[in-house]
DNA sequence: AACCGCTCT
DNA sequence: TTGGGAGAGCGGTTA
């Protein structure tokens, strides 16, 4: 018989919605009215892709019914552990139903059954007619059991992974089984945590595969359980019924009373007006094109090619500076071109264009006048753009003449985008492989840099004047990396910076700022992935140096091109949200500062650490032995699971021991501290934890991170991760070096000056967050205390406990300190009670007392929340935003979290703003004064310097002054500055 | 990869 | 009764 002429697609709506929701988890799409449309968008994307690529003749969308199903009757616990549906999904589902309806696609739903039963039943019936080829569109692996010659699974494409069709062969391979019927046996044995189907304990995918290969089915396995041995046998015997039940639950029912109405499923015209209205409401502009809702007349026509003319001639209007006198000039220059003589030189043109912001100005000279600036493709009815589908011209620049021409040309631009290709991720260890440049959409140039150091230097030197030209803005993604690379080649990049990663960080602080993702989100463009060039991580991964240069041209050119386009996208967004000044005056200058800090690095006393390591090692062994003796057995103390069993099952230390949300015993510091009185093992475990932590995380790890090139440790500061505006530090994290305990202090002592002539100087803000809180709230008591140098915790204690300042006991002060911190974080009475280990009632009373004494603080906190509710975000003194999308949520936990953020984010973030400004000014001051001292670290409210002994006094004075005045406020800022032979004594 | 636990401000 | 101050990164275990 001929192949069936009809193609039926059956969509598992909820599964697709879930997948879409989580795929966009980090970069949700939000409409201007605050509706999260990620799930809707993802679902539509997947559906439209199928319609376009697969051209089904028939289609249906199945939903689960909200009522309980027959499975719940079989097994009451079915899906019992499932978390309540995320709010965004609940909100999205009705929209999706409406969209499906508007597309005139039938919705398949039936009380008492789940989508898979409905899909299964219809699939089988469609096949029985012999006229259909059926595809079940779902990411759910359970559907494997339905596959046959006529029925397939269609796994939708998501986030870079291509769509996949699975037939009998693929499904059997996926499970490692011989026959499709065995899918339910596999599911029965393994179970499903998501649906709370138990399976048989101790059997995972691997074991199940072996057992099914050997026994064929669950029933047969149980009948032959005596052939098994050990724990496995026990489990199979004991949980036989559970296994059979699980298999039943996993079995999709094919007798759902739904009619198979082929005509109803036939794909027809959309209800265009309704669909248009929906797309408008959801702000899905691109979708309208893909749905064919825009009339063709509305589509911009592809702009005609501009004939090669002025632009191209501009390029070589002035004689290129260096090139030898070869006649064979690059890029199609025709000697004797008429316009040459009249064209102004690049330098004059730049002056004329100096007020223009972007390099894409219509009259800017063009290096290649091949493509116009406008988007080339129309966007309608097309999948996401890729390097193959978008017209571009990325060129290799690999001769002295070409390099000189390019450099000369770039020197006439007001802004250039560049990107460096290197041999490694770590900029301190990496070497340059090439540089890519772009100045307008659709074009880029790739300059390979030779492996030989001297030759490489010569190539870099050609571009050095351009890169160091203060009049040319430098655009890039994560520019700090490129700056660090270039510093190693003697290039000090100058001029304004525009870092697309950080621009996006300001626009959407909590999302991802990865270039590929931003390209997909903002440009609807899917870049070539780095893996396509160098392969996956691990064995066989190439370095950029080993990749064919033709491939790099495309990849690197694309990076520069895309980055430039992102800059053009983000600049107006920054302006719109009043973030441009923060970006241009704070974040961009800070990039240079951080690059210098990182490059400088900090010296570590390895001998001291080695000694410490040996001491810790003997101590760990000692404590470990003592714990084993107290426990009566040896076990892995590092395993919370094993430790919990020893403490609570074996030693029965606490009858109602707390469990974590995953069902294990909680063995955290707080719990063990409580147990200290009961059993000495608790103290020992805490000791053990401290020792092993210090040893593994710091003492043994830090020396390995010393750069062989410099002999120092170079952390990496991340300027685009913390949602509040703080910096973070990785590889290693130098913002969490111990200081609290005596042993921890030994580690801090190992951070030492670079040489005899230097000392460590540490300068920190005193109570920066509380001072900001006082200033923002205008609270008189607090402001006066700070301005008159009264200890703030004592002041708070005096007020809350109604005693004179002189009568405050250390216990009262301690409590007040906890309260003060709690206030900044938006504390609850429960939280305070917990921390102070006092009854909740008492804590509530203290808070009430506090608010009575500090009414302005209370008002300020309420106002912060109110403001966030109105705006949808909280903001810092410099206008840095943090979006609080849950501030109006009906979910209490989510909403309260957002409210705490509304209070904390402006305070923590403004402190970060202040320190950043101080850093920029100090950096500037040190350069102006040509100091030998170096700023080397920043830790939220602290700056650390490698200070030259001769400069100590002036450095101290200048740093102090700058820090105190970085952002003037109604409350004066105070600093503490210390100097010493190591970081511990300096702090 | 997720979780736990611990380090810092 | 649950869930209940903020922001980070890293090492270890378990699955």
């Amino acid at each position: 018989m001929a192949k069936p002429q009809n193609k039926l697609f059956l969509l598992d709506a909820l599964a697709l919605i879930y997948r879409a929701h989580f795929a966009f988890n980090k970069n949700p799409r939000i409409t201007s009215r605050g509706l999260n449309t990620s799930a809707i968008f993802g679902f539509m994307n997947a559906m439209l892709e199928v319609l376009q690529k697969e051209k089904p003749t028939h289609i249906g969308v199945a939903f689960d019914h909200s009522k309980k199903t027959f499975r719940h009757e079989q097994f009451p616990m079915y899906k019992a552990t499932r978390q309540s549906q995320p709010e965004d999904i609940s909100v999205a589902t009705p929209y999706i139903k409406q969209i499906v309806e508007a597309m005139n696609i039938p919705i398949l739903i039936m009380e008492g059954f789940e989508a898979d039963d409905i899909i299964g039943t219809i699939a089988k019936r469609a096949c029985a007619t012999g006229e259909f080829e059926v595809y079940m569109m779902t990411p759910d692996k359970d559907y494997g059991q339905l596959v046959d010659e006529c029925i397939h699974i269609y796994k939708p494409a998501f986030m870079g992974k291509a769509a996949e069709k699975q037939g009998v062969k693929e499904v059997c391979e996926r499970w490692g089984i011989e026959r499709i019927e065995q899918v339910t046996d596999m599911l029965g044995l393994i179970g499903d945590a998501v649906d709370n189907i138990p399976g048989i304990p101790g059997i995972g995918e691997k074991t199940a595969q072996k057992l099914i290969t050997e026994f064929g089915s669950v029933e047969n396995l149980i009948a032959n359980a005596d052939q098994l041995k050990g724990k496995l046998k026990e489990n199979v015997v004991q949980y036989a019924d559970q296994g059979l039940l699980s298999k039943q639950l996993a079995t999709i029912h094919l007798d759902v009373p739904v009619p198979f109405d082929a005509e109803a499923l036939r794909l027809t015209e959309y209800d265009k007006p309704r669909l248009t209205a929906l797309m408008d409401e959801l702000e899905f502009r691109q979708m309208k094109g893909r749905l064919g809702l825009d009339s063709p007349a509305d589509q911009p026509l592809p702009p005609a090619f501009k004939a090669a003319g002025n632009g191209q001639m501009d390029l070589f209007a002035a004689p290129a500076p260096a090139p030898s006198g070869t006649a064979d000039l690059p890029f199609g220059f025709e000697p004797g071109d008429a316009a040459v003589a009249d064209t102004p030189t690049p330098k004059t043109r730049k002056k004329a264009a100096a007020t223009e912001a972007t390099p894409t100005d219509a009259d800017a000279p063009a290096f290649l006048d091949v493509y116009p600036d406008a988007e080339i493709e129309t966007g309608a009815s097309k999948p996401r753009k890729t390097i193959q589908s978008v017209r571009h011209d990325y060129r290799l620049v690999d001769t002295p003449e070409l390099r000189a021409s390019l450099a000369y040309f770039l020197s006439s631009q007001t802004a250039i985008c560049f990107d460096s290709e290197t041999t490694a991720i770590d900029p301190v260890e990496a070497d340059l492989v090439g540089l890519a440049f772009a100045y307008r959409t659709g074009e880029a140039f790739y300059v390979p840099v030779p492996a030989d150091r001297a030759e490489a230097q010569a190539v870099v030197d050609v571009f050095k004047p351009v890169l160091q030209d203060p009049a040319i803005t430098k655009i890039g993604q994560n520019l700090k990396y490129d700056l660090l690379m270039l510093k190693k080649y003697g290039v000090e990049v100058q001029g304004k910076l525009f870092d697309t990663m950080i621009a996006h960080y300001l626009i959407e602080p909590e999302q991802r700022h990865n270039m590929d993702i931003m390209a997909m989100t903002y440009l609807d463009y899917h870049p070539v992935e780095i893996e396509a060039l160098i392969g996956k991580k691990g064995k066989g991964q190439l370095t950029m140096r080993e990749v064919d240069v033709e491939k790099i041209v495309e990849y690197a050119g694309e990076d520069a091109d895309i980055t430039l386009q992102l800059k053009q996208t983000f600049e107006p967004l920054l302006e719109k949200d009043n973030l441009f000044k923060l970006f241009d005056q704070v974040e961009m200058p800070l990039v240079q500062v951080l690059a210098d800090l990182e490059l400088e690095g900090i010296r570590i006393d390895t001998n001291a650490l080695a000694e410490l390591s040996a001491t810790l090692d003997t101590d760990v062994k000692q404590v470990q032995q003592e714990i084993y003796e107290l426990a009566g057995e040896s076990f892995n103390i590092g395993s919370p699971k094993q430790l919990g069993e020893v403490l609570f099952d074996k030693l029965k230390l606490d009858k109602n021991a707390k469990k974590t949300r995953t069902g294990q015993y909680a063995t955290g510091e707080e719990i063990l501290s409580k147990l200290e009185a009961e059993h000495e093992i608790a103290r020992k475990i805490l000791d053990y934890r401290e020792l092993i932590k210090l040893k593994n995380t710091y003492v043994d790890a830090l020396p390995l991170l010393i750069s062989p090139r410099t002999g120092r440790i170079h952390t990496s500061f991340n300027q685009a991760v913390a949602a509040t505006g703080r910096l973070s530090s990785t590889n290693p994290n130098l913002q969490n070096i111990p200081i609290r305990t005596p042993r921890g202090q030994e580690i801090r002592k190992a951070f030492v000056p670079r040489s005899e002539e230097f000392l460590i100087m540490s300068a920190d803000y005193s109570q920066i967050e509380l001072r900001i809180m006082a200033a923002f709230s205008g609270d008189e008591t607090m402001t006066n205390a700070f301005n008159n140098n009264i200890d703030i915790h004592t002041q708070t204690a005096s007020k809350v406990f109604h005693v004179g300042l002189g009568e405050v006991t250390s216990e009262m002060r301690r409590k007040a300190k906890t309260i003060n911190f709690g206030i900044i974080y938006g504390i609850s009475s429960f939280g305070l009670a917990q921390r102070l280990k006092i009854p909740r009632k008492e804590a509530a009373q203290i808070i009430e007392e506090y608010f009575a004494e500090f009414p302005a603080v209370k008002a300020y906190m309420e106002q912060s929340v109110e403001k966030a509710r109105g705006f949808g975000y909280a903001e810092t003194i410099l206008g840095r935003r943090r979006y609080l999308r849950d501030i109006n949520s009906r979910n209490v936990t989510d909403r309260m979290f957002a409210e705490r953020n509304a209070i904390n984010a402006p305070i923590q973030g403004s402190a970060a703003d202040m320190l950043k400004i101080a850093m920029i000014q100090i950096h500037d001051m040190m350069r102006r004064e040509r100091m030998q001292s170096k700023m080397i670290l920043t830790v939220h409210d602290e700056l650390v310097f490698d200070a030259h002994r001769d400069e100590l006094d002036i450095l101290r004075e200048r740093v102090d002054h700058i820090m105190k005045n970085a952002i003037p406020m109604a409350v004066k800022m105070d600093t503490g500055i210390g100097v010493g032979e190591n970081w511990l004594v300096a702090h």
Side-chain angles (χ1 to χ4, degrees):
Chain A
M1 199 176 97
K3 214 171 176 317
Q5 59 279 58
N6 294 317
K7 206 165 170 184
L8 170 62
F9 266 76
L10 296 168
L11 278 61
D12 180 353
L14 198 65
L16 293 168
I17 295 170
Y18 258 93
R19 180 141 175 196
H21 172 75
F22 289 112
F24 283 88
N25 215 3
K26 286 293 286 187
N27 273 24
R29 292 180 60 104
I30 313 277
T31 65
S32 56
R33 286 176 306 136
L35 177 70
N36 183 332
T37 56
S38 307
I40 308 171
F41 182 79
F43 179 87
M44 281 202 77
N45 234 348
M47 182 158 70
L48 291 186
E49 190 176 308
V50 159
L51 290 174
Q52 280 156 10
K53 281 203 188 146
E54 297 295 328
K55 309 233 182 310
T57 56
H58 296 68
I59 185 167
V61 178
F63 284 82
D64 295 314
H65 199 277
S66 53
K67 293 237 175 82
K68 289 195 173 173
T69 69
F70 63 90
R71 290 192 178 83
H72 289 98
E73 287 168 29
Q74 280 181 350
F75 181 53
M77 294 301 288
Y78 181 63
K79 294 196 173 175
T81 49
R82 202 170 260 198
Q83 301 212 335
S84 64
Q85 201 171 69
E87 196 174 314
D88 295 333
I89 290 184
S90 314
V91 174
T93 309
Y95 278 103
I96 290 171
K97 283 187 177 162
Q98 286 187 52
I99 290 166
V100 173
E101 276 174 24
M103 292 172 79
N104 284 324
I105 293 172
I107 288 177
L108 312 168
I109 187 164
M110 176 75 53
E111 187 170 339
F113 294 91
E114 294 179 48
D116 50 3
D117 302 312
I118 298 170
I119 288 178
T121 304
I122 292 180
K124 292 287 179 192
R125 290 185 190 173
C127 275
T129 66
E131 291 168 12
F132 285 89
E133 194 183 350
V134 181
Y135 289 89
M136 306 177 293
M137 183 156 161
T138 177
D140 186 348
K141 57 191 186 317
D142 293 12
Y143 281 77
Q145 61 187 281
L146 299 169
V147 167
D148 63 21
E149 289 314 312
C150 159
I151 303 177
H152 319 267
I153 290 180
Y154 185 91
K155 280 176 85 172
F158 260 111
M159 300 312 276
K161 274 200 183 136
E164 190 188 346
K165 290 178 185 174
Q166 295 182 337
V168 174
K169 183 167 147 268
E170 288 81 11
V171 172
C172 287
E173 274 171 14
R174 154 76 183 77
W175 290 105
I177 52 178
E178 282 160 23
R179 289 168 290 121
I180 282 293
E181 299 84 78
Q182 293 171 326
V183 171
T184 50
D185 292 292
M186 292 291 290
L187 294 169
L189 291 181
I190 299 166
D192 184 344
V194 180
D195 290 346
N196 200 32
I197 295 178
I200 293 183
I203 299 186
E205 195 165 332
K206 288 276 176 295
T207 316
Q209 218 173 77
K210 261 188 264 165
L211 294 173
I212 295 301
T213 307
E214 195 174 342
F215 297 99
S217 72
V218 177
E219 290 81 1
N220 202 38
L221 165 70
I222 292 167
N224 294 290
D226 50 331
Q227 294 176 28
L228 304 170
K229 44 191 176 187
K231 194 81 187 160
L232 184 60
K233 178 179 177 179
E234 268 176 49
N235 282 335
V236 170
V237 172
Q238 190 185 342
Y239 294 101
D241 287 349
Q242 192 173 302
L244 289 168
L245 174 65
S246 297
K247 179 177 170 180
Q248 251 182 52
L249 289 170
T251 302
I252 294 174
H253 281 235
L254 301 176
D255 50 6
V256 180
V258 283
F260 169 61
D261 180 350
E263 279 321 296
L265 293 167
R266 188 180 289 282
L267 194 57
T268 58
E269 283 275 291
Y270 304 148
D271 180 346
K272 286 192 175 177
R274 188 172 168 201
L275 209 45
T276 306
L278 278 164
M279 293 303 102
D280 286 341
E281 183 181 352
L282 296 168
E283 297 171 12
F284 287 179
R285 283 186 41 76
Q286 299 235 338
M287 237 18 127
K288 281 163 74 170
R290 291 175 66 185
L291 286 161
L293 296 178
D294 294 323
S295 63
D298 298 339
Q299 292 296 321
L301 290 171
F305 265 43
K306 265 197 254 170
N310 298 332
Q312 198 164 349
M313 294 166 217
D314 285 351
L315 167 51
F316 300 106
S324 55
T326 59
D328 187 15
L329 286 165
F331 305 134
F333 172 70
E334 302 273 334
D337 242 328
V340 168
D342 314 335
T343 318
T345 64
K347 278 291 170 194
T348 20
R349 286 189 64 111
K350 186 159 79 188
K351 279 210 180 108
T355 51
E356 315 230 5
T358 72
T360 48
D361 299 325
D363 63 344
F367 190 41
L368 282 174
D369 206 348
V370 180
Y371 298 117
D373 298 320
E375 288 262 337
I376 290 154
E377 56 97 53
T378 63
S381 304
K382 273 197 184 163
R384 183 165 273 149
K385 292 171 267 183
T386 64
I387 199 165
Q388 286 91 15
S389 71
V390 172
R391 214 148 21 111
H392 63 267
D393 192 342
Y394 303 152
R395 296 207 181 180
L396 180 61
V397 175
D398 64 346
T399 67
E401 293 77 20
L402 287 169
R403 284 193 290 264
S405 302
L406 177 59
Y408 181 66
F409 179 76
L410 291 172
S411 72
S412 74
Q413 300 295 317
T414 55
I416 60 171
C417 178
F418 78 104
D419 180 38
S420 41
E421 302 303 327
T422 66
T423 53
I425 296 171
D426 180 353
V428 180
E429 307 304 323
D431 286 317
L432 260 183
V433 173
L435 290 166
F437 295 94
Y439 72 96
R440 67 174 193 172
T441 306
E443 298 170 11
F445 307 92
Y446 178 68
V447 184
V449 173
D452 176 86
R453 193 60 179 72
E455 289 174 33
Q457 189 63 54
V459 170
V460 173
D461 282 344
V462 175
F463 296 93
K464 186 169 170 175
V466 173
L467 293 165
Q468 296 196 339
D469 187 337
I472 303 175
T473 299
K474 311 301 184 304
I475 302 159
Q477 164 79 3
N478 192 9
L479 277 170
K480 174 155 63 66
Y481 183 89
D482 305 275
L483 262 46
L484 284 166
M485 272 324 291
L486 288 165
K487 275 180 201 283
K488 300 203 307 191
Y489 292 80
V491 178
E492 292 292 329
V493 174
Q494 289 186 65
K496 279 196 179 298
L497 302 182
F498 193 109
D499 189 325
T500 47
M501 179 179 81
I502 295 168
H504 192 250
Y505 169 66
L506 293 187
I507 294 163
E508 287 285 356
E510 283 177 276
Q511 296 182 20
R512 294 171 64 182
H513 320 298
N514 167 296
M515 197 204 75
D516 290 1
I517 292 176
M518 296 193 299
M520 292 196 251
T521 312
Y522 292 90
L523 308 174
D524 194 29
Y525 183 96
H526 193 145
V528 176
E529 277 158 44
I530 182 83
E531 280 186 2
L533 263 74
I534 62 174
K536 287 204 195 279
K537 239 196 186 149
K539 241 193 340 188
Q541 189 182 38
L542 306 173
T543 69
M544 203 48 106
R545 183 82 71 201
E546 296 159 312
V547 177
D548 291 342
V549 76
E550 296 79 29
K551 284 189 187 164
I552 307 185
V553 171
E554 293 291 294
Y555 170 83
E558 183 185 65
D559 266 9
D561 183 9
I562 292 293
T563 302
L564 178 62
Q565 294 181 48
L566 286 172
K567 184 257 184 184
Q568 288 154 13
T569 306
F570 293 155
E571 199 164 32
L573 293 179
L574 289 170
E575 295 283 5
K576 173 174 78 74
D577 292 344
N578 287 321
L579 290 165
F580 191 78
K581 192 171 174 198
L582 171 65
F583 176 75
D584 192 55
Q585 305 294 310
V586 180
E587 299 294 352
M588 286 308 100
L590 188 66
V591 172
Q592 293 277 12
V593 178
L594 294 177
D596 279 346
L597 261 67
E598 290 183 15
L599 196 67
E600 213 47 60
I602 184 163
R603 185 171 156 231
I604 300 288
D605 182 347
T606 44
N607 291 331
L609 286 184
E611 265 178 52
L612 191 53
S613 177
T615 317
L616 286 172
D617 194 52
T618 44
D619 292 356
V620 165
K621 289 200 172 105
Q622 162 94 34
V623 179
Q624 185 180 329
Q625 202 48 48
E626 289 170 1
I627 291 170
Y628 291 159
E629 276 161 27
L630 287 166
E633 66 175 299
S634 57
F635 61 102
N636 187 344
I637 309 170
S639 159
K641 187 170 178 287
Q642 293 181 35
L643 177 64
E645 281 159 14
V646 167
L647 290 179
F648 303 113
D649 288 340
K650 185 166 182 200
L651 299 176
K652 307 214 182 300
L653 284 190
D654 187 343
K655 288 179 287 296
N656 15 323
K658 259 198 220 152
K659 299 267 180 96
T660 63
R661 64 192 169 79
T662 48
Q664 290 190 50
Y665 289 114
T667 67
E669 201 262 343
E670 213 169 314
I671 309 257
L672 292 182
S673 293
K674 273 191 197 142
L675 291 177
E676 260 189 271
E678 221 176 306
H679 199 298
E680 57 175 320
I681 194 170
R683 178 72 252 156
K684 295 284 176 203
I685 290 163
L686 289 171
D687 287 344
Y688 174 87
R689 289 235 177 106
E690 185 194 345
L691 297 172
I692 207 88
K693 168 85 179 177
L694 295 179
K695 185 166 191 293
N696 289 339
T697 309
Y698 305 103
V699 179
D700 290 349
L702 288 174
L704 301 179
L705 290 162
I706 293 173
S707 162
R709 289 195 184 198
T710 67
R712 291 196 288 269
I713 288 189
H714 304 266
T715 185
S716 172
F717 289 105
N718 199 330
Q719 207 179 336
V721 287
T724 52
R726 274 189 178 177
L727 298 168
S728 84
S729 156
T730 56
N731 283 315
N733 180 354
L734 293 184
Q735 296 184 324
N736 72 347
I737 299 302
I739 191 168
R740 215 167 22 89
T741 67
R743 295 195 124 99
Q745 293 183 350
E746 290 301 310
I747 293 168
R748 226 167 235 248
K749 275 191 200 160
F751 286 76
V752 293
R754 58 182 45 210
S755 73
E756 301 270 296
E757 298 168 287
F758 288 78
L759 287 171
I760 298 290
M761 180 176 116
S762 160
D764 70 351
Y765 279 111
S766 145
Q767 306 293 359
I768 186 170
E769 294 189 347
L770 278 173
R771 282 173 198 266
I772 288 174
M773 171 86 162
F776 282 177
S777 69
D779 187 273
E780 258 185 69
T781 312
M782 247 180 149
T783 305
N784 284 339
F786 280 128
N787 287 344
N788 296 304
N789 300 322
I790 298 169
D791 178 273
I792 190 63
H793 302 315
T794 306
Q795 174 69 77
T796 302
S798 150
K799 285 286 179 187
V800 171
F801 300 115
H802 304 294
V803 296
L805 278 172
E807 297 158 62
V808 172
T809 64
S810 60
E811 181 60 17
M812 288 156 103
R813 185 179 181 280
R814 188 186 66 83
K815 284 188 178 173
K817 190 173 172 183
T818 306
I819 298 166
N820 278 333
F821 275 102
I823 292 296
I824 296 171
Y825 299 142
I827 200 169
S828 66
S829 61
F830 186 97
L832 186 64
Q834 192 98 119
R835 256 145 235 283
L836 286 177
K837 295 178 185 155
I838 57 174
R840 205 166 156 173
K841 272 252 172 94
E842 200 182 319
Q845 222 164 19
I846 293 181
I847 291 176
E848 206 175 301
E849 214 52 66
Y850 180 93
F851 283 145
E853 295 292 338
F854 298 92
V857 172
K858 185 181 188 199
Y860 169 71
M861 290 171 69
E862 284 165 354
Q863 183 198 318
S864 293
V865 173
E866 213 40 59
K867 203 175 143 190
R869 235 177 241 140
F871 287 142
Y873 58 85
E875 64 181 347
T876 68
I877 193 162
L878 298 188
R880 182 193 305 280
R881 295 181 177 190
R882 176 165 187 186
Y883 289 94
L884 299 167
R885 286 167 177 121
D886 287 330
I887 195 84
N888 292 311
S889 170
R890 286 179 298 286
N891 181 317
V892 187
T893 314
D894 292 351
R895 188 179 62 242
M896 281 172 59
F897 186 68
E899 287 173 0
R900 290 196 295 276
N901 282 152
I903 294 165
N904 178 262
I907 299 173
Q908 190 183 117
S910 298
D913 290 347
M914 193 182 287
L915 190 81
K916 283 178 172 178
I917 288 182
M919 287 178 72
I920 294 163
Q921 294 181 350
I922 290 168
H923 184 259
D924 198 45
M925 175 276 295
M926 291 174 75
R927 210 195 43 211
R928 272 199 326 266
E929 302 283 338
R930 299 185 195 285
M931 286 191 174
Q932 292 173 267
S933 306
K934 305 286 180 188
M935 198 183 341
I936 52 177
L937 285 182
T938 160
V939 195
H940 310 310
D941 64 359
E942 176 188 11
L943 298 175
V944 182
F945 300 83
D946 226 337
H948 195 277
R949 289 175 189 263
D950 296 346
E951 298 167 354
L952 269 178
D953 292 339
I954 175 117
L955 183 66
R956 180 200 291 261
E957 188 197 309
R958 296 289 181 89
V959 166
D960 184 67
H961 183 261
I962 292 173
M963 285 176 74
K964 282 175 175 161
N965 297 286
I967 300 180
M969 291 200 176
V971 173
K972 71 165 192 180
M973 293 295 145
D974 198 15
T975 59
I977 301 185
V979 176
E981 292 289 347
N982 60 60
W983 192 6
L984 180 68
V985 296
H987 185 75

